[in-house]
Amino acid sequence: MPSRFSTSTSRLALVSVVVGLVVLALKFWAWDLTGSVALWSDALESLVNVATAVAAFVAIRYSALPADANHPFGHGKAEYFSVVLEGVLIIIASISILSSAWAGFLHPRNLEQPVLGLAVNLAASAINGAWATVLVTVGRRRRSLALAADGVHLFTDVATSVGVFIGLVLALATGWLVLDPLLAALVAVNILWQGWRLIRVSIGGLMDEAVSGETLELIRDIISENAKGAIEAHDVRTRHAGRMTFIEFHLVVPGSMPVSVSHDICDRIEKALRAEVSDASITIHVEPEEKAKYTGVVVV
Ligand code: ZN
Ligand code: ZN
C-alpha cells in the first residue's frame, strides 16, 4: 500500500537530482567566469545538495522495501545514513569555503566578467526557486513532510544565492572587494547551521527518540476512544524509523474476557491508530486486571 506513494516520491527525488546537477553546473560556470569566492561557496552548497539528493533517492528506494527475514522491523532507518553522509559533506564544504574566504580576505581580487557570471548565477537561482515551489506545493498536497521540507530547504538556498548576488552587485558598485570573501564566510556558517539541524534529527531517529508530545497525546486519545471493553492501557512507548512509527503498549482487560474478544479490541485500536498515524507498526500486549497500574495510564 505505501508503494504507489513511494514510487512517485522517488521519481520526484530523481528529478531533484537532475535539477540539482543543472543548477550545480551553472553555479560552477558562474564561479569560473568571475573567480568570486562567494560564488564558489554558492556552488559548493549546490554540490552538497546534489550529493544529498542522490543519497535521499537511494535511501527512499531502500527504506521503502518491505520488512524481510534479515530486517524484520523494516528498512526505515536507511534514511538516516544519507543524513550522516550529508553531515560529513557539509563539514568538508564549510571548511573549504572558510579557508578560501580567509585567503580572499587577505588578498582581495577583482571579479572577472562579473555581468555574465552574475547572470548565469541568477538563472541557476531561478531554476532552484521554481523547483522549490513545485516541491512545497506537491508536498503539501500529498501531506509529505519530507517533500515539503526539501522544498523549504531549497528556498533557503535560493535566499542565500540572492543574498550573495546582491552583495556582489554592491561590491562591484562600491569597489569594496572584501565583501566577496565576507559573503562566502556567511554562506559557510549557514551551511554548517543547516547541517547541524539535519544531523540532530537523524541522531534522534537513531537513538529511538519518542514521537512529539502532540502526536503522543493524539495516540493516547485514540487508544482511549477505541478500547471500549478494556480497563486501561499503560507503558505506551513510541519511536520512529524513517517514515515508520512504532507504537507499543499494554492493554489491561478483565481476566475472564475471551481471547477473541480482547483481540477484537486490539484490532479496533490498531485500525483507528493506522487511520491517524501514517506507516504505523503497532504491538499490543494484553494483560488481566491484576496487572493494572492506575498511574500513568490511558483510561478507557
Ligand atoms: Zn503491563
Ligand atoms: Zn492479531
Side-chain angles (χ1 to χ4, degrees), residues 234-235 250 287 291 293:
H234 60 243
D235 293 1
H250 300 181
E287 297 176 329
K291 295 287 188 177
K293 283 193 170 174

Side-chain angles (χ1 to χ4, degrees), residues 1-220:
M1 140 231 37
S3 62
R4 205 183 60 204
F5 171 78
S6 41
T7 357
S8 51
T9 305
S10 73
R11 199 179 306 133
L12 278 175
L14 192 62
V15 178
S16 275
V17 174
V18 175
V19 171
L21 281 172
V22 171
V23 168
L24 177 67
L26 287 174
K27 286 191 172 175
F28 268 107
W29 186 26
W31 162 67
D32 193 46
L33 285 168
T34 56
S36 155
V37 192
L39 289 185
W40 187 62
S41 70
D42 204 25
L44 271 190
E45 187 173 13
S46 276
L47 183 63
V48 170
N49 286 346
V50 172
T52 311
V54 172
F57 174 69
V58 175
I60 286 170
R61 294 293 285 254
Y62 190 72
S63 67
L65 293 177
D68 54 32
N70 286 334
H71 305 91
F73 291 96
H75 302 80
K77 287 195 176 182
E79 288 182 29
Y80 301 127
F81 290 105
S82 74
V83 183
V84 171
L85 173 71
E86 184 172 12
V88 173
L89 286 172
I90 281 168
I91 290 166
I92 295 172
S94 316
I95 290 172
S96 93
I97 293 170
L98 284 173
S99 76
S100 29
W102 181 241
F105 191 72
L106 295 178
H107 309 283
R109 326 184 312 172
N110 244 320
L111 302 190
E112 305 147 29
Q113 305 195 57
V115 177
L116 181 58
L118 284 177
V120 169
N121 187 62
L122 204 60
S125 298
I127 294 172
N128 246 350
W131 183 240
T133 311
V134 171
L135 284 180
V136 169
T137 314
V138 176
R140 294 228 168 103
R141 202 188 309 138
R142 284 193 201 160
R143 295 215 200 153
S144 162
L145 266 184
L147 279 184
D150 271 0
V152 171
H153 171 85
L154 262 192
F155 269 128
T156 65
D157 290 354
V158 175
T160 314
S161 304
V162 170
V164 165
F165 179 84
I166 294 171
L168 285 179
V169 169
L170 276 179
L172 288 168
T174 59
W176 202 36
L177 299 176
V178 170
L179 263 179
D180 183 27
L182 213 61
L183 284 164
L186 281 178
V187 173
V189 171
N190 179 49
I191 296 174
L192 265 184
W193 169 241
Q194 300 208 15
W196 160 246
R197 280 178 35 192
L198 279 165
I199 290 168
R200 217 215 67 78
V201 171
S202 65
I203 289 175
L206 290 172
M207 290 301 295
D208 288 338
E209 196 172 68
V211 297
S212 72
E214 295 149 51
T215 309
L216 186 60
E217 207 49 51
L218 175 73
I219 289 171
R220 294 174 69 97

Side-chain angles (χ1 to χ4, degrees), residues 273-286:
L273 281 172
R274 285 208 184 89
E276 289 294 325
V277 183
S278 55
D279 295 305
S281 170
I282 305 151
T283 309
I284 307 173
H285 173 74
V286 174

Side-chain angles (χ1 to χ4, degrees), residues 252-283:
V252 179
V253 300
S256 56
M257 180 183 274
V259 173
S260 58
V261 175
S262 56
H263 187 257
D264 285 346
I265 300 175
C266 292
D267 279 352
R268 203 163 66 222
I269 302 174
E270 286 176 20
K271 200 175 153 215
L273 281 172
R274 285 208 184 89
E276 289 294 325
V277 183
S278 55
D279 295 305
S281 170
I282 305 151
T283 309

